[in-house]
């Protein structure tokens, strides 16, 4: 078998694995024969090696290695331990270009010793749980805290996007948000008001398969062929009994998709299930599921997207995929679990949910018990300003609202430049090279060659420019999926809304005033002077700019016009030459009062331990964590429910009275980890 250069570099490690732990060498060699990157190949080798085995002094060419660690998202204990050691950095090659060989120590737990020892000569390699080879690799938020903090020096803070006001009067205190992604758990609330939980792995059985008749055996034949597309079945008589025999099909049938005619008529066409995921956003999760099932992502439907850096539980529906096939994925996917299967005749629709229920842990809080009580009582009774959260505006040095503004201005050269130009802050190496090539040559084909993965926004735009040319940027930009394109202009709307709400609260405080807007039967109307006492701050809405909304009849209405005019936009003409980018506008409440608010302050000594059990922990029978009555640190565990399109981070901001941007939180984490 011919090996790629990557395979040849890894061959000594493969053979050592096979010799010492009897790892399946043929399987590993097969993996290496593919044209995968070095990083991807190492991940797959390590999945084939028992975790408890210790390997030392493996000769290895470090020329192509660009990282010092692979993180394991599904095991946070290792992440916490890595935070406690000083990592050995890979030495750079000499200027003469000579190649150096180094030793890699794969360190695992030994009896009586800590999992990761502080050895200055060790390079620690941890298994990474990524499932999709072709996914765009994002910035490693869980990598070396100094490097990520350096990247976020150029990120946004709340002031940059108009988030400046608070509604409560308590004294703020500090705390760390999402120190571990398992400190942030989201459960979807369905349209029936029920909170989604993963609490059942069983697979529903079709009612028809009960007695032995030809019709029932036909259903079994179809079910087997649907679940295992590579199998054929037949019925045989043996000793007076009928047996269904399954056997491998030959040729292309082994790779065929499930037969459409095999779906029982009495079964609903859609399999609904609860998806439990860790550290993955919803679209990434669906892409992984579709890849393993060999189907297109568009046969999946859902009611809302969920954060990446969290544990989330939500309902998903998929067209004509059996619960058995879905349940089988539980054996081969990391960071995912599927359960609570049922068959229904309808898909799910975006926006059908009633909201989300959040369980959040804020670690290492500095507030007194009285401060915490005041903050949480205020959150429950008054609420928080319904700002669009920081994730709405991106995390890089080029905010998404700037791209949206350029689109609305019809300034397509600016759109192209904002997306492709070099930007300060750390990025993946291939993106840096791509941007540098673009800045130097303005050649989309040459810049595209620098990207190993073409599915990122930069890659899609460059592909469009290669196809349509630099004089037709509109068509080139149109290659980017529609939802991604609209994200930019929605970000600009959110930027305007945040700034206007801050001005509204600064000018008029937390009371309804004449000229404010309220909704009556879905229609916005102005409050008249005589009716002011009939409304509270919780009734007031503010418009996102567009051609189909009205604006407040007081100073804030004028402020909208001035802010848009400063961006060379006419508030009375928000229609765009391209229909997709015409903004109709919408209304949004300025204050949200959470429901089902509960909280407790807990003490802990070890920052690595979880402070509550997840759905998966409960299913696996794990006992609840034992919390110390007194400890070195305090944490605030809080629960609350919010309506759709509302940001939990803004509720947390109101409690802490501190900046929730990644830039500020990373600075806290970096100091804390030191």
């Amino acid at each position: 078998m011919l090996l790629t250069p990557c395979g040849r570099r890894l061959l000594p490690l493969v053979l050592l694995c096979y010799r010492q732990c009897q790892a399946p060498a043929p399987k590993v060699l097969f993996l290496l024969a593919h044209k995968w990157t070095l990083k991807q190949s190492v991940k797959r080798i390590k999945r084939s090696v028992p975790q408890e085995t210790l390997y030392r002094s493996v000769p290895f060419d470090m020329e192509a290695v660009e990282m010092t660690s692979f993180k394991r998202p599904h095991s946070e204990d290792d992440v916490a331990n890595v935070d406690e050691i000083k990592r050995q950095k890979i030495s750079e090659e000499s200027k003469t270009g000579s190649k150096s060989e180094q030793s890699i120590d794969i360190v695992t737990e030994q009896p009586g010793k800590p999992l990761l020892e502080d050895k200055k000569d060790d390079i620690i390699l941890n298994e990474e749980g990524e499932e999709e080879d072709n996914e765009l690799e994002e910035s490693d938020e869980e990598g070396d805290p100094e490097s990520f903090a350096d990247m976020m020096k150029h990120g946004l803070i709340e002031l940059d996007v108009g988030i400046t006001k608070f509604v409560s009067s308590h004294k703020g205190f500090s705390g760390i948000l999402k120190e571990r992604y398992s400190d942030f758990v989201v459960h979807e609330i369905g349209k029936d008001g029920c909170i989604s939980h993963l609490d059942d792995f069983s697979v529903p059985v079709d009612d028809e398969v009960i007695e032995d008749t030809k019709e029932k055996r036909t259903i079994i034949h179809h079910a087997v062929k649907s679940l295992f597309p590579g199998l054929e079945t037949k019925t045989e008589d043996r000793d007076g009994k009928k047996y269904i025999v399954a056997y491998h099909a030959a040729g292309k049938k082994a790779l065929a998709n499930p037969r459409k005619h095999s779906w029982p008529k009495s079964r609903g066409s859609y399999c609904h299930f609860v998806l439990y995921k860790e550290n993955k956003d919803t679209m990434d999760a669906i892409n992984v599921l579709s890849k393993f099932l060999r189907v297109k992502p568009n046969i999946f439907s859902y009611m809302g997207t969920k954060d990446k850096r969290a544990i989330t539980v939500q309902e998903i529906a998929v067209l004509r995929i059996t619960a058995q096939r879905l349940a089988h994925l539980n054996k081969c996917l990391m960071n995912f679990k599927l359960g609570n299967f049922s068959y229904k005749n309808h898909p799910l629709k975006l926006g059908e949910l009633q909201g989300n229920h959040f369980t959040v842990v804020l670690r290492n809080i500095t507030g007194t018990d009285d401060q915490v009580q005041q903050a949480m009582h205020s959150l429950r009774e008054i609420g928080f300003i319904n700002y669009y959260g920081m994730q709405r505006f991106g995390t890089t040095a080029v905010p998404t609202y700037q791209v949206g503004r350029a689109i609305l201005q019809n300034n397509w050269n600016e759109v192209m430049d904002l997306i492709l130009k070099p930007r300060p802050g750390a990025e993946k190496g291939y993106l840096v090279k791509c941007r540098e090539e673009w800045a130097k040559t303005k050649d989309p084909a040459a810049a595209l060659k620098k990207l190993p993965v073409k599915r990122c926004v930069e890659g899609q735009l460059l592909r469009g420019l290669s196809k349509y040319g630099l004089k037709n940027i509109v068509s080139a930009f149109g290659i980017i999926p529609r939802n991604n394109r609209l994200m930019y202009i929605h970000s600009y709307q959110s930027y305007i809304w945040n700034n206007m709400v801050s001005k509204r609260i600064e000018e008029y405080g937390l009371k309804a005033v004449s000229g404010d807007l309220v909704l009556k039967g879905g229609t916005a109307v102005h409050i008249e002077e005589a009716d002011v006492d009939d409304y509270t701050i919780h009734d007031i809405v503010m418009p996102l700019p567009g051609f189909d909304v009205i604006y407040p009849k007081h100073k804030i209405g004028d402020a909208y016009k001035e802010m848009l005019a400063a961006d060379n936009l006419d508030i009375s003409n928000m229609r765009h030459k391209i229909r997709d980018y015409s903004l109709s506008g919408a209304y949004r409440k300025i204050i949200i009062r959470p429901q089902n608010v509960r909280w407790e302050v807990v003490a802990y000594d070890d920052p690595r331990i979880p402070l509550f059990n997840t759905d998966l922990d409960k299913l696996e029978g794990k006992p609840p964590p034992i919390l110390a009555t007194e400890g070195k640190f305090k944490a605030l565990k809080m629960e609350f429910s919010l309506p759709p399109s509302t940001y939990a981070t803004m509720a947390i901001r109101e409690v802490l009275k501190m900046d929730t941007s990644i830039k500020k939180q990373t600075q806290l984490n970096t100091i804390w980890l030191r």
Side-chain angles (χ1 to χ4, degrees), residues 66-78:
E66 297 180 356
M67 62 286 175
T68 60
S69 68
F70 298 121
K71 307 304 291 180
R72 183 190 304 153
H74 63 285
S75 176
E76 290 191 76
D77 291 338
D78 289 357

Side-chain angles (χ1 to χ4, degrees), residues 491-640:
S491 176
Y492 179 73
Q493 283 181 301
S494 305
Y495 169 74
I496 297 292
W497 194 91
N498 279 0
N499 279 278
M500 292 299 100
V501 166
S502 292
K503 283 184 177 294
R504 160 63 180 78
I505 291 174
E506 180 179 359
E507 188 70 31
Y508 300 111
L510 298 178
K511 61 181 181 180
V513 298
S514 176
D516 273 335
L517 293 170
V518 293
L519 292 178
K520 286 188 175 180
T523 302
V525 296
H526 293 102
I527 298 178
E528 301 297 335
E529 186 68 43
D531 301 325
V532 166
D533 293 338
D534 296 337
Y535 300 99
T536 71
I537 192 65
H538 296 96
D539 300 312
I540 308 304
V541 298
M542 294 267 287
L544 287 97
F547 60 78
D548 199 24
V549 296
I550 59 175
Y551 295 88
K553 286 184 178 178
H554 47 52
K555 292 180 181 179
I556 306 306
D558 295 332
Y560 270 98
K561 296 177 184 177
E562 291 167 5
M563 190 168 186
L564 288 169
D567 288 336
N568 296 316
L569 295 172
D570 182 359
I571 196 170
S572 61
N573 182 19
M574 297 301 290
R575 295 186 185 274
H576 196 277
K577 293 179 180 178
I578 301 169
R579 186 176 179 181
D580 267 358
Y581 309 136
S582 290
L583 297 176
S584 60
Y587 299 98
R588 180 178 176 88
K589 284 197 171 183
I590 67 174
I591 301 291
I592 291 292
R593 189 159 41 196
Q595 302 297 309
N596 307 313
V597 179
R598 295 185 293 273
W599 69 91
E600 64 175 323
V601 176
V602 297
Y604 65 100
D605 289 313
D606 189 346
R608 299 169 298 180
I609 64 168
L611 299 180
F612 62 92
N613 274 5
T614 64
D615 284 358
L616 185 58
D617 292 334
K618 295 172 185 175
L619 265 175
E620 294 176 345
K622 292 183 180 179
I626 300 174
L627 302 176
T629 53
E630 294 184 2
K632 299 178 187 176
F633 315 111
K634 287 195 307 181
L636 172 59
K637 177 188 171 186
M638 54 198 297
E639 293 186 51
F640 51 87

Side-chain angles (χ1 to χ4, degrees), residues 147-156 395-396 662-663 666:
S147 63
F148 186 63
D150 180 66
M151 180 183 79
M152 292 317 302
K153 287 177 183 176
H154 305 280
L156 295 172
T395 58
T396 67
I662 295 179
K663 179 175 181 177
T666 301

Side-chain angles (χ1 to χ4, degrees), residues 436-494:
E436 289 174 348
E437 183 67 27
W438 171 255
K440 182 173 64 176
T441 66
K442 290 293 188 286
D443 182 346
L448 194 60
K449 288 179 181 178
K450 301 294 182 180
L451 287 178
V453 178
K454 310 296 191 290
R455 285 178 9 186
C456 58
V457 169
E458 293 84 356
Q460 290 163 335
L461 178 56
L462 287 169
R463 188 159 52 88
L465 292 171
S466 297
K467 181 176 181 180
Y468 295 106
L470 297 180
K471 293 184 178 180
N472 193 354
I473 301 173
V474 173
S475 297
F477 185 72
I479 282 188
I480 299 172
R482 183 174 184 270
N483 284 348
N484 289 6
R485 287 182 278 123
L486 296 184
M487 171 194 71
Y488 292 118
I489 57 175
H490 292 159
S491 176
Y492 179 73
Q493 283 181 301
S494 305

